Amino acid sequence: MSSWATCGRRTAALEASSVPRTREDESKDGEEHDGGGHRGPEDPAGTLPGFLPAEEKERLGRLCKLLIDQGRLEYLQRRGFRGALQRYADPGVSLENVLLTALPAQAPPADATA
C-alpha cells in the first residue's frame, strides 16, 4: 500500500519527460503498483468499481510511508539513538523525499554521575 503514494505521479512524470518509454517501463508500472495496471473503458478516471479513487490511494500511501518511517525512528530511539526524519526535496522533484538520520545518544560524562 505504501507504493500508492507514488504510483499515479510516476507515470505522469515519465510522460512529461523527454525520455522515451519502453514496454518494460510500462509493464513495471502496472506490476509494481496495482497488480497489473489494467485500466479498461470502465475506468477512465483511475478508479474501478468497488475500489478507492487514485487521490485517496495516494493519500493512504503517504500515510503508510509515514507509519513505516515513524516505526523505524522509534526502533532506533529504543536502541539508544537520537534520530530525525527530514524532508530533503520538494515533492515535485522526488516523491521519495524523506531522510532518516540517527546518531548514537550521548552518554553523560563519567564525573557527572558522582
Side-chain angles (χ1 to χ4, degrees):
M1 287 175 64
S2 67
S3 69
W4 291 352
T6 57
C7 65
R9 295 175 132 185
R10 177 179 169 197
T11 303
L14 286 172
E15 288 171 358
S17 76
S18 60
V19 178
R21 291 183 56 138
T22 66
R23 285 186 183 186
E24 183 178 325
D25 292 335
E26 292 171 3
S27 67
K28 282 182 184 176
D29 285 347
E31 292 170 6
E32 191 173 329
H33 300 295
D34 60 15
H38 173 71
R39 291 206 169 105
E42 73 281 358
D43 183 27
T47 304
L48 292 171
F51 291 95
L52 298 171
E55 295 81 20
E56 184 66 8
K57 286 177 73 173
E58 186 176 333
R59 186 184 75 77
L60 289 172
R62 284 193 306 271
L63 287 173
C64 287
K65 285 185 177 290
L66 179 60
L67 180 63
I68 292 166
D69 288 340
Q70 287 293 341
R72 290 173 175 154
L73 184 60
E74 178 72 19
Y75 175 85
L76 289 169
Q77 289 172 343
R78 287 185 181 191
R79 278 150 183 79
F81 289 86
R82 288 180 299 126
L85 295 172
Q86 302 168 350
R87 297 200 185 281
Y88 63 88
D90 184 82
V93 174
S94 173
L95 296 174
E96 299 288 344
N97 62 355
V98 178
L99 174 68
L100 172 62
T101 57
L103 294 171
Q106 295 283 335
D111 60 342
T113 59

